[in-house]
Amino acid sequence: MGKAIAIDGPSASGKSSVSKGVAAALGFIYVDSGALYRGVTWQAIRKGVDTKNAAAVVESMHNAEWDFFVQEGAAVFSVDGDVPVQELREKDVREAVADVAAVPEVRRFVVENLQSLENFGSLVMEGRDIGTVVFPDSPYKFYLDADPEERAMRRYRELVAAGEDEKAHEVMDSLKKRDQIDATRKADPLKVAPGAQVIDSTSMGLDEVIQSVIDVVKGAL
Ligand code: CDP
Ligand code: CDP
């Protein structure tokens, strides 16, 4: 069985960038668990399912055909034969995903599939509940954090760079709303896992954060 490095934290705390950097340095498979919650959301939206209707979302999720594989060092999934990537970042998905991810049956489905990825090898998995629920026994758990203003600014810069016409205060509002839903939902809320190392990256560069994770993991190996 492979190892699993768990990287949790709120939106724009640096989970994706840090996890990809750590996975590349250690030769582990990178897994974006949020992509699967976004995938469940996306397949519902494209079938015209109301994402506020939990039962309908769950039904369309179970009726879809899911497949998992590894491509260029990252775990990827297909749903009904399509591999959504850019689609998962679109606004309609972004706005509905926290509601979909709050449905217990959606979480059960996603968590089981994430756990089974260990069959592919050692993983670096980023998310909200990786250290608390998906791999609670992993000795390698990290909780990344940064001040909300800094996180909103990071997201804003990304959206502007991608040519999206967003306003800074709207990004801030949407980030705070999502933080709130993620931290207060009944099913697996975002919290620091027991034994997790907390890294506040408000004034840290990306490379610095990546190196400090690698140092901890190498020290423990
Ligand atoms: O990139 P960002 O942090 O904005 O979001 P993401 O990682 O793509 O996750 C999208 C949404 O999925 C989050 O806002 C959570 O509601 C949910 N999620 C979750 O509940 N548990 C996870 N392990 C990962 C994501
Ligand atoms: O995955 P998550 O939503 O937690 O964050 P991310 O997508 O990895 O990072 C959001 C943005 O912040 C990216 O553009 C990173 O390059 C940037 N970032 C940063 O400037 N400094 C850090 N220490 C971490 C991330």
Side-chain angles (χ1 to χ4, degrees):
M1 195 65 98
K3 298 176 186 47
I5 300 177
I7 305 207
D8 292 305
S11 197
S13 57
K15 298 181 301 297
S16 314
S17 331
V18 170
S19 302
K20 282 179 192 156
V22 171
L26 299 176
F28 285 19
I29 298 161
Y30 163 70
V31 188
D32 173 8
S33 69
L36 201 42
Y37 290 99
R38 289 173 183 266
V40 173
T41 308
W42 175 73
Q43 62 79 34
I45 290 173
R46 82 163 165 170
K47 286 184 207 147
V49 170
D50 173 8
T51 53
K52 297 255 181 213
N53 182 340
V57 170
V58 167
E59 193 192 341
S60 77
M61 175 184 80
H62 284 312
N63 285 336
E65 175 76 26
W66 300 86
D67 236 323
F68 295 84
F69 51 101
V70 176
Q71 202 170 56
E72 290 167 11
V76 189
F77 64 87
S78 67
V79 49
D80 294 324
D82 293 316
V83 180
V85 179
Q86 208 38 55
E87 293 85 344
L88 302 181
R89 316 305 305 182
E90 280 166 7
K91 193 168 183 168
D92 51 353
V93 172
R94 200 193 316 149
E95 287 179 347
V97 64
D99 285 324
V100 171
V103 177
E105 201 156 333
V106 169
R107 303 203 67 80
R108 202 172 319 129
F109 171 84
V110 170
V111 167
E112 282 173 10
N113 280 295
L114 293 173
Q115 288 169 336
S116 73
L117 295 177
E118 254 193 326
N119 295 324
F120 288 125
S122 291
L123 313 171
V124 182
M125 189 177 290
E126 56 139 319
R128 299 290 190 291
D129 62 343
I130 310 307
T132 52
V133 177
V134 182
F135 295 116
D137 299 329
S138 169
Y140 319 107
K141 301 181 199 176
F142 298 87
Y143 186 94
L144 301 188
D145 209 350
D147 292 348
E149 291 73 19
E150 166 66 16
R151 291 189 287 113
M153 198 37 78
R154 290 176 184 174
R155 243 333 152 248
Y156 174 69
R157 279 193 226 109
E158 274 180 350
L159 291 167
V160 169
E164 284 203 41
D165 182 24
E166 296 275 344
K167 295 185 178 55
H169 73 269
E170 285 175 7
V171 176
M172 182 78 193
D173 287 350
S174 126
L175 184 126
K176 282 192 162 159
K177 202 182 290 166
R178 206 131 60 85
D179 277 3
Q180 172 76 10
I181 298 177
D182 289 343
T184 58
R185 67 171 177 231
K186 284 207 187 69
D188 311 333
L190 172 66
K191 58 173 189 251
V192 181
Q197 167 131 357
V198 179
I199 302 177
D200 185 333
S201 73
T202 305
S203 50
M204 278 171 91
L206 206 51
D207 290 342
E208 219 180 321
V209 182
I210 292 171
Q211 196 53 53
S212 58
V213 171
I214 292 172
D215 288 346
V216 171
V217 173
K218 284 207 165 144
L221 281 177

